[in-house]
Amino acid sequence: MGPVSLLPKYQKLSTWKGDSAKMTHLQAGLSPETIEKARLELNENPDVLHQDIQQVRDMIITRPDIGFLRTDDAFILRFLRARKFHQADAFRLLAQYFQYRQLNLDMFKNFKADDPGIKRALIDGFPGVLENRDHYGRKILLLFAANWDQSRNSFTDILRAILLSLEVLIEDPELQINGFILIIDWSNFSFKQASKLTPSILKLAIEGLQDSFPARFGGVHFVNQPWYIHALYTLIKPFLKDKTRKRIFLHGNNLNSLHQLIHPEFLPSEFGGTLPPYDMGTWARTLLGPDYSDENDYTHTSYNAMHVKHTSSNLERECSPKPMKRSQSVVEAGTLKHEEKGENENTQPLLALD
């Protein structure tokens, strides 16, 4: 049915060939496999890319209450990819992206890596970002929940650091298509820490990540979660879309279920993977490297300056007020339990708790 329903569109828009040649630069740098994946999974067609983008841009006039600070082709394209080239849905996401920033102005003041709050969160490993991608080309983000020192980092600053990191990463067209995976390790995360996760701040995070950002999340994986994290789900459930619920998995300490979805060769040893333990300073050194300067601030209004900076090994001495930590997982490398299939009920998606 798919190719048949698209055929009239190709025929009708065959006159756009001249524009198609101009738009191919938007796919420059993509591997042939990724271009094919975008065609099959996201309905991306280079022959009509210009019209798809322009249709979204033409909708901006319908929302005069929102300041659309960026409307260039490359920027709009990431929203189309995030919504599988459904123009109305892509525009809705684009509008929510800027509306979220208008409604939460304090979060986006000094929205750059050297902001004191964001910098502390980055140095403490919020988020962690693995260098290599998984077998589907997705970037893997890590959160070691117990590293949240509530006397040092507010939840809002951690959220700001995550959003800023995503802004940097989403500049990569490959990740716009392949997406992201998030793994949250709840080892040693206390009930006292969990009590600070109020409905209002959880709602703020969900609105910022699920409803207002053009990223494709292929899965959110909970590892070593205590019972009160299960309870927190009842707080956030009303704010989650069905599609999001189906992509949240509770693994407990069951490595087998995690490895069925993310192969061990792409994971650090904390998750039973073959990679070395994750160094908490990895992503912070990337964003706060020696090339970082005022001219290259990662601000939400200066998108062209969002380039990942490489670093040298002396950044920890320059930027960290304390010794850099590796993960604080309570489970040492290789000690998570390998369980038989069906043994642990916590491996089901959260939706199964309904």
CSV table of all heavy atoms in Angstrom, one decimal, residues 49-93:
chain,number,residue,atom,x,y,z
A,49,LEU,N,11.7,17.3,-1.3
A,49,LEU,CA,12.2,17.8,0.0
A,49,LEU,C,11.9,19.3,0.1
A,49,LEU,O,11.4,19.8,1.2
A,49,LEU,CB,13.7,17.6,0.1
A,49,LEU,CG,14.2,17.4,1.5
A,49,LEU,CD1,13.4,16.3,2.3
A,49,LEU,CD2,15.7,16.9,1.4
A,50,HIS,N,12.1,20.1,-1.0
A,50,HIS,CA,11.8,21.5,-0.9
A,50,HIS,C,10.4,21.8,-0.6
A,50,HIS,O,10.1,22.7,0.3
A,50,HIS,CB,12.2,22.1,-2.2
A,50,HIS,CG,11.9,23.6,-2.3
A,50,HIS,ND1,12.8,24.5,-1.7
A,50,HIS,CD2,10.9,24.3,-2.8
A,50,HIS,CE1,12.3,25.8,-1.9
A,50,HIS,NE2,11.1,25.6,-2.6
A,51,GLN,N,9.5,21.1,-1.2
A,51,GLN,CA,8.1,21.4,-1.0
A,51,GLN,C,7.7,21.0,0.5
A,51,GLN,O,6.9,21.7,1.1
A,51,GLN,CB,7.2,20.7,-2.0
A,51,GLN,CG,5.7,21.1,-1.7
A,51,GLN,CD,4.8,20.6,-2.9
A,51,GLN,OE1,5.3,20.1,-3.9
A,51,GLN,NE2,3.5,20.8,-2.7
A,52,ASP,N,8.2,19.9,0.9
A,52,ASP,CA,7.9,19.5,2.3
A,52,ASP,C,8.3,20.5,3.3
A,52,ASP,O,7.5,20.9,4.2
A,52,ASP,CB,8.6,18.1,2.6
A,52,ASP,CG,7.9,16.9,1.9
A,52,ASP,OD1,6.7,17.0,1.5
A,52,ASP,OD2,8.6,15.9,1.7
A,53,ILE,N,9.5,21.0,3.1
A,53,ILE,CA,10.0,22.0,4.0
A,53,ILE,C,9.2,23.3,3.9
A,53,ILE,O,8.8,23.9,4.9
A,53,ILE,CB,11.5,22.3,3.7
A,53,ILE,CG1,12.3,21.1,4.1
A,53,ILE,CG2,12.0,23.5,4.5
A,53,ILE,CD1,13.8,21.1,3.7
A,54,GLN,N,8.9,23.7,2.7
A,54,GLN,CA,8.2,25.0,2.5
A,54,GLN,C,6.8,24.9,3.0
A,54,GLN,O,6.2,25.9,3.6
A,54,GLN,CB,8.1,25.3,1.0
A,54,GLN,CG,7.6,26.7,0.7
A,54,GLN,CD,8.4,27.8,1.4
A,54,GLN,OE1,9.7,27.8,1.4
A,54,GLN,NE2,7.8,28.8,2.0
A,55,GLN,N,6.1,23.8,3.0
A,55,GLN,CA,4.8,23.6,3.5
A,55,GLN,C,4.8,23.8,5.0
A,55,GLN,O,3.9,24.4,5.6
A,55,GLN,CB,4.2,22.2,3.2
A,55,GLN,CG,3.8,22.1,1.7
A,55,GLN,CD,3.2,20.8,1.4
A,55,GLN,OE1,3.3,19.8,2.2
A,55,GLN,NE2,2.6,20.6,0.2
A,56,VAL,N,5.8,23.3,5.7
A,56,VAL,CA,5.9,23.6,7.1
A,56,VAL,C,6.2,25.1,7.4
A,56,VAL,O,5.6,25.7,8.3
A,56,VAL,CB,7.1,22.7,7.7
A,56,VAL,CG1,7.3,23.1,9.2
A,56,VAL,CG2,6.7,21.2,7.6
A,57,ARG,N,7.1,25.7,6.6
A,57,ARG,CA,7.4,27.1,6.8
A,57,ARG,C,6.2,28.0,6.6
A,57,ARG,O,6.0,29.0,7.3
A,57,ARG,CB,8.5,27.5,5.9
A,57,ARG,CG,9.1,28.9,6.1
A,57,ARG,CD,10.2,29.2,5.1
A,57,ARG,NE,11.4,28.5,5.4
A,57,ARG,CZ,12.0,27.6,4.5
A,57,ARG,NH1,11.4,27.4,3.4
A,57,ARG,NH2,13.1,27.0,4.8
A,58,ASP,N,5.3,27.6,5.6
A,58,ASP,CA,4.1,28.4,5.3
A,58,ASP,C,3.1,28.4,6.5
A,58,ASP,O,2.3,29.3,6.6
A,58,ASP,CB,3.4,27.8,4.1
A,58,ASP,CG,4.2,28.1,2.8
A,58,ASP,OD1,5.1,29.0,2.8
A,58,ASP,OD2,4.0,27.5,1.8
A,59,MET,N,3.2,27.4,7.4
A,59,MET,CA,2.3,27.3,8.5
A,59,MET,C,2.7,28.3,9.6
A,59,MET,O,1.9,28.5,10.6
A,59,MET,CB,2.3,25.9,9.1
A,59,MET,CG,1.7,24.9,8.1
A,59,MET,SD,1.7,23.2,8.8
A,59,MET,CE,1.5,22.2,7.3
A,60,ILE,N,3.9,28.8,9.6
A,60,ILE,CA,4.3,29.7,10.7
A,60,ILE,C,3.4,30.9,10.9
A,60,ILE,O,3.2,31.3,12.0
A,60,ILE,CB,5.8,30.1,10.4
A,60,ILE,CG1,6.7,28.9,10.6
A,60,ILE,CG2,6.2,31.3,11.4
A,60,ILE,CD1,8.2,29.3,10.2
A,61,ILE,N,2.8,31.4,9.8
A,61,ILE,CA,1.9,32.5,9.9
A,61,ILE,C,0.7,32.3,10.8
A,61,ILE,O,0.1,33.2,11.3
A,61,ILE,CB,1.5,33.0,8.5
A,61,ILE,CG1,0.9,34.4,8.6
A,61,ILE,CG2,0.6,32.0,7.9
A,61,ILE,CD1,0.7,35.0,7.2
A,62,THR,N,0.4,31.0,11.0
A,62,THR,CA,-0.8,30.6,11.8
A,62,THR,C,-0.5,30.7,13.3
A,62,THR,O,-1.5,30.7,14.1
A,62,THR,CB,-1.3,29.2,11.5
A,62,THR,OG1,-0.3,28.3,11.9
A,62,THR,CG2,-1.5,29.0,10.0
A,63,ARG,N,0.7,31.0,13.7
A,63,ARG,CA,1.0,31.1,15.1
A,63,ARG,C,1.8,32.4,15.4
A,63,ARG,O,3.0,32.3,15.7
A,63,ARG,CB,1.8,29.9,15.6
A,63,ARG,CG,1.1,28.5,15.6
A,63,ARG,CD,-0.1,28.6,16.5
A,63,ARG,NE,0.2,28.9,17.9
A,63,ARG,CZ,0.5,28.0,18.8
A,63,ARG,NH1,0.6,26.7,18.5
A,63,ARG,NH2,0.8,28.4,20.0
A,64,PRO,N,1.1,33.5,15.2
A,64,PRO,CA,1.8,34.8,15.5
A,64,PRO,C,2.2,35.0,16.9
A,64,PRO,O,3.0,35.9,17.3
A,64,PRO,CB,0.8,35.8,15.0
A,64,PRO,CG,-0.5,35.1,15.2
A,64,PRO,CD,-0.3,33.7,14.9
A,65,ASP,N,1.7,34.1,17.8
A,65,ASP,CA,2.0,34.2,19.3
A,65,ASP,C,3.4,33.7,19.6
A,65,ASP,O,3.9,33.8,20.7
A,65,ASP,CB,1.0,33.5,20.1
A,65,ASP,CG,0.8,32.1,19.7
A,65,ASP,OD1,0.7,31.8,18.5
A,65,ASP,OD2,0.8,31.2,20.6
A,66,ILE,N,4.0,33.0,18.6
A,66,ILE,CA,5.3,32.3,18.9
A,66,ILE,C,6.4,33.0,18.0
A,66,ILE,O,6.2,33.3,16.9
A,66,ILE,CB,5.2,30.8,18.5
A,66,ILE,CG1,4.2,30.1,19.4
A,66,ILE,CG2,6.6,30.1,18.6
A,66,ILE,CD1,4.0,28.7,19.1
A,67,GLY,N,7.5,33.2,18.7
A,67,GLY,CA,8.7,33.7,17.9
A,67,GLY,C,9.5,32.6,17.4
A,67,GLY,O,10.2,31.9,18.2
A,68,PHE,N,9.4,32.4,16.1
A,68,PHE,CA,10.2,31.3,15.5
A,68,PHE,C,11.6,31.9,15.1
A,68,PHE,O,11.8,32.5,14.1
A,68,PHE,CB,9.5,30.8,14.2
A,68,PHE,CG,8.2,30.1,14.5
A,68,PHE,CD1,7.0,30.8,14.6
A,68,PHE,CD2,8.2,28.7,14.6
A,68,PHE,CE1,5.8,30.1,14.9
A,68,PHE,CE2,7.0,28.0,14.9
A,68,PHE,CZ,5.8,28.8,15.0
A,69,LEU,N,12.5,31.5,16.0
A,69,LEU,CA,13.9,32.2,15.9
A,69,LEU,C,14.7,31.6,14.8
A,69,LEU,O,15.8,32.1,14.5
A,69,LEU,CB,14.6,32.0,17.3
A,69,LEU,CG,13.9,32.7,18.5
A,69,LEU,CD1,14.7,32.5,19.7
A,69,LEU,CD2,13.6,34.1,18.2
A,70,ARG,N,14.3,30.4,14.3
A,70,ARG,CA,15.1,29.8,13.2
A,70,ARG,C,14.2,29.1,12.3
A,70,ARG,O,13.4,28.2,12.8
A,70,ARG,CB,16.2,28.9,13.8
A,70,ARG,CG,17.1,28.3,12.7
A,70,ARG,CD,18.2,27.4,13.3
A,70,ARG,NE,18.9,26.7,12.2
A,70,ARG,CZ,19.8,25.8,12.4
A,70,ARG,NH1,20.2,25.4,13.6
A,70,ARG,NH2,20.4,25.2,11.3
A,71,THR,N,14.2,29.3,11.0
A,71,THR,CA,13.3,28.7,10.0
A,71,THR,C,14.0,28.3,8.7
A,71,THR,O,13.4,28.1,7.7
A,71,THR,CB,12.2,29.7,9.7
A,71,THR,OG1,12.8,30.9,9.1
A,71,THR,CG2,11.4,30.0,10.9
A,72,ASP,N,15.3,28.1,8.8
A,72,ASP,CA,16.1,27.7,7.6
A,72,ASP,C,15.8,26.2,7.3
A,72,ASP,O,15.2,25.5,8.1
A,72,ASP,CB,17.6,27.9,7.8
A,72,ASP,CG,18.1,27.1,9.0
A,72,ASP,OD1,18.0,27.6,10.1
A,72,ASP,OD2,18.5,25.9,8.8
A,73,ASP,N,16.1,25.8,6.1
A,73,ASP,CA,15.8,24.5,5.6
A,73,ASP,C,16.3,23.3,6.5
A,73,ASP,O,15.5,22.4,6.8
A,73,ASP,CB,16.3,24.3,4.1
A,73,ASP,CG,15.6,25.1,3.1
A,73,ASP,OD1,14.5,25.6,3.4
A,73,ASP,OD2,16.2,25.4,2.0
A,74,ALA,N,17.6,23.4,6.8
A,74,ALA,CA,18.2,22.3,7.6
A,74,ALA,C,17.5,22.2,9.0
A,74,ALA,O,17.3,21.1,9.5
A,74,ALA,CB,19.7,22.6,7.8
A,75,PHE,N,17.1,23.3,9.5
A,75,PHE,CA,16.4,23.3,10.9
A,75,PHE,C,15.1,22.7,10.8
A,75,PHE,O,14.7,21.8,11.5
A,75,PHE,CB,16.4,24.7,11.4
A,75,PHE,CG,15.9,24.8,12.9
A,75,PHE,CD1,16.7,24.3,13.9
A,75,PHE,CD2,14.7,25.3,13.2
A,75,PHE,CE1,16.3,24.3,15.2
A,75,PHE,CE2,14.2,25.4,14.5
A,75,PHE,CZ,15.0,24.9,15.5
A,76,ILE,N,14.3,23.1,9.8
A,76,ILE,CA,12.9,22.5,9.6
A,76,ILE,C,13.0,21.1,9.3
A,76,ILE,O,12.1,20.3,9.7
A,76,ILE,CB,12.1,23.3,8.6
A,76,ILE,CG1,11.8,24.7,9.1
A,76,ILE,CG2,10.8,22.6,8.2
A,76,ILE,CD1,11.1,25.6,8.1
A,77,LEU,N,14.0,20.7,8.5
A,77,LEU,CA,14.1,19.3,8.1
A,77,LEU,C,14.2,18.3,9.3
A,77,LEU,O,13.6,17.2,9.3
A,77,LEU,CB,15.4,19.1,7.2
A,77,LEU,CG,15.7,17.7,6.7
A,77,LEU,CD1,14.5,17.1,6.0
A,77,LEU,CD2,16.9,17.7,5.8
A,78,ARG,N,14.9,18.7,10.4
A,78,ARG,CA,15.0,17.8,11.5
A,78,ARG,C,13.6,17.6,12.2
A,78,ARG,O,13.4,16.5,12.7
A,78,ARG,CB,16.0,18.3,12.5
A,78,ARG,CG,15.6,19.6,13.3
A,78,ARG,CD,16.7,20.1,14.1
A,78,ARG,NE,17.9,20.5,13.4
A,78,ARG,CZ,18.9,21.2,13.9
A,78,ARG,NH1,18.9,21.5,15.1
A,78,ARG,NH2,19.9,21.5,13.1
A,79,PHE,N,12.7,18.5,12.1
A,79,PHE,CA,11.4,18.3,12.6
A,79,PHE,C,10.5,17.4,11.7
A,79,PHE,O,9.7,16.6,12.2
A,79,PHE,CB,10.7,19.7,12.8
A,79,PHE,CG,11.3,20.5,13.9
A,79,PHE,CD1,12.4,21.3,13.7
A,79,PHE,CD2,10.8,20.5,15.2
A,79,PHE,CE1,13.0,22.1,14.7
A,79,PHE,CE2,11.4,21.2,16.2
A,79,PHE,CZ,12.5,22.0,16.0
A,80,LEU,N,10.7,17.6,10.4
A,80,LEU,CA,10.0,16.7,9.5
A,80,LEU,C,10.5,15.2,9.7
A,80,LEU,O,9.7,14.3,9.7
A,80,LEU,CB,10.3,17.1,8.1
A,80,LEU,CG,9.5,18.2,7.5
A,80,LEU,CD1,10.1,18.8,6.3
A,80,LEU,CD2,8.1,17.8,7.2
A,81,ARG,N,11.8,15.0,9.9
A,81,ARG,CA,12.3,13.7,10.2
A,81,ARG,C,11.8,13.1,11.5
A,81,ARG,O,11.5,11.9,11.6
A,81,ARG,CB,13.8,13.7,10.2
A,81,ARG,CG,14.4,13.8,8.8
A,81,ARG,CD,15.9,14.1,8.8
A,81,ARG,NE,16.5,14.0,7.5
A,81,ARG,CZ,17.7,14.5,7.1
A,81,ARG,NH1,18.4,15.2,8.0
A,81,ARG,NH2,18.1,14.3,5.9
A,82,ALA,N,11.7,14.0,12.5
A,82,ALA,CA,11.2,13.5,13.8
A,82,ALA,C,9.7,13.1,13.7
A,82,ALA,O,9.2,12.3,14.6
A,82,ALA,CB,11.3,14.6,14.8
A,83,ARG,N,9.0,13.6,12.7
A,83,ARG,CA,7.5,13.3,12.6
A,83,ARG,C,7.2,12.6,11.3
A,83,ARG,O,6.1,12.6,10.8
A,83,ARG,CB,6.7,14.5,12.7
A,83,ARG,CG,6.7,15.1,14.2
A,83,ARG,CD,6.1,14.2,15.1
A,83,ARG,NE,6.1,14.7,16.5
A,83,ARG,CZ,7.0,14.4,17.4
A,83,ARG,NH1,8.0,13.6,17.1
A,83,ARG,NH2,6.9,14.9,18.7
A,84,LYS,N,8.2,11.9,10.7
A,84,LYS,CA,8.1,11.1,9.5
A,84,LYS,C,7.4,11.8,8.4
A,84,LYS,O,6.6,11.3,7.7
A,84,LYS,CB,7.3,9.8,9.9
A,84,LYS,CG,8.0,8.9,10.9
A,84,LYS,CD,7.3,7.6,11.1
A,84,LYS,CE,8.1,6.7,12.0
A,84,LYS,NZ,7.5,5.3,12.2
A,85,PHE,N,7.8,13.0,8.2
A,85,PHE,CA,7.4,13.9,7.1
A,85,PHE,C,5.9,14.1,7.0
A,85,PHE,O,5.3,14.4,6.0
A,85,PHE,CB,7.9,13.3,5.8
A,85,PHE,CG,9.4,13.7,5.6
A,85,PHE,CD1,10.4,13.1,6.2
A,85,PHE,CD2,9.7,14.8,4.8
A,85,PHE,CE1,11.7,13.5,6.1
A,85,PHE,CE2,11.0,15.2,4.6
A,85,PHE,CZ,12.0,14.5,5.2
A,86,HIS,N,5.2,14.0,8.2
A,86,HIS,CA,3.8,14.5,8.3
A,86,HIS,C,3.9,16.0,8.6
A,86,HIS,O,4.3,16.4,9.7
A,86,HIS,CB,3.1,13.8,9.4
A,86,HIS,CG,2.9,12.3,9.1
A,86,HIS,ND1,2.1,11.8,8.1
A,86,HIS,CD2,3.4,11.2,9.8
A,86,HIS,CE1,2.2,10.5,8.1
A,86,HIS,NE2,3.0,10.1,9.1
A,87,GLN,N,3.6,16.8,7.6
A,87,GLN,CA,3.9,18.3,7.7
A,87,GLN,C,3.2,18.9,8.9
A,87,GLN,O,3.8,19.7,9.6
A,87,GLN,CB,3.5,19.0,6.4
A,87,GLN,CG,4.4,18.7,5.2
A,87,GLN,CD,3.9,17.5,4.4
A,87,GLN,OE1,3.1,16.8,4.8
A,87,GLN,NE2,4.5,17.4,3.2
A,88,ALA,N,1.9,18.6,9.1
A,88,ALA,CA,1.2,19.2,10.2
A,88,ALA,C,1.8,18.8,11.6
A,88,ALA,O,1.9,19.7,12.5
A,88,ALA,CB,-0.3,18.8,10.2
A,89,ASP,N,2.2,17.6,11.7
A,89,ASP,CA,2.8,17.1,13.0
A,89,ASP,C,4.2,17.8,13.2
A,89,ASP,O,4.5,18.1,14.3
A,89,ASP,CB,2.9,15.6,13.0
A,89,ASP,CG,1.6,14.9,13.1
A,89,ASP,OD1,0.6,15.5,13.4
A,89,ASP,OD2,1.5,13.7,12.8
A,90,ALA,N,4.9,17.9,12.1
A,90,ALA,CA,6.2,18.5,12.1
A,90,ALA,C,6.1,20.0,12.5
A,90,ALA,O,6.9,20.5,13.4
A,90,ALA,CB,6.9,18.4,10.8
A,91,PHE,N,5.1,20.7,12.0
A,91,PHE,CA,4.9,22.1,12.4
A,91,PHE,C,4.5,22.2,13.8
A,91,PHE,O,4.9,23.1,14.6
A,91,PHE,CB,3.9,22.8,11.5
A,91,PHE,CG,3.5,24.1,12.0
A,91,PHE,CD1,4.4,25.2,11.8
A,91,PHE,CD2,2.3,24.4,12.6
A,91,PHE,CE1,4.2,26.5,12.3
A,91,PHE,CE2,2.0,25.7,13.1
A,91,PHE,CZ,2.9,26.7,12.9
A,92,ARG,N,3.6,21.3,14.3
A,92,ARG,CA,3.2,21.3,15.7
A,92,ARG,C,4.4,21.1,16.6
A,92,ARG,O,4.5,21.8,17.6
A,92,ARG,CB,2.2,20.2,15.9
A,92,ARG,CG,1.5,20.3,17.3
A,92,ARG,CD,0.4,19.2,17.4
A,92,ARG,NE,-0.6,19.4,16.4
A,92,ARG,CZ,-0.8,18.5,15.4
A,92,ARG,NH1,0.0,17.4,15.3
A,92,ARG,NH2,-1.7,18.7,14.5
A,93,LEU,N,5.3,20.2,16.3
A,93,LEU,CA,6.5,20.1,17.1
A,93,LEU,C,7.4,21.3,17.0
A,93,LEU,O,7.9,21.7,18.0
A,93,LEU,CB,7.3,18.8,16.5
A,93,LEU,CG,8.6,18.5,17.3
A,93,LEU,CD1,8.3,18.1,18.7
A,93,LEU,CD2,9.2,17.3,16.6
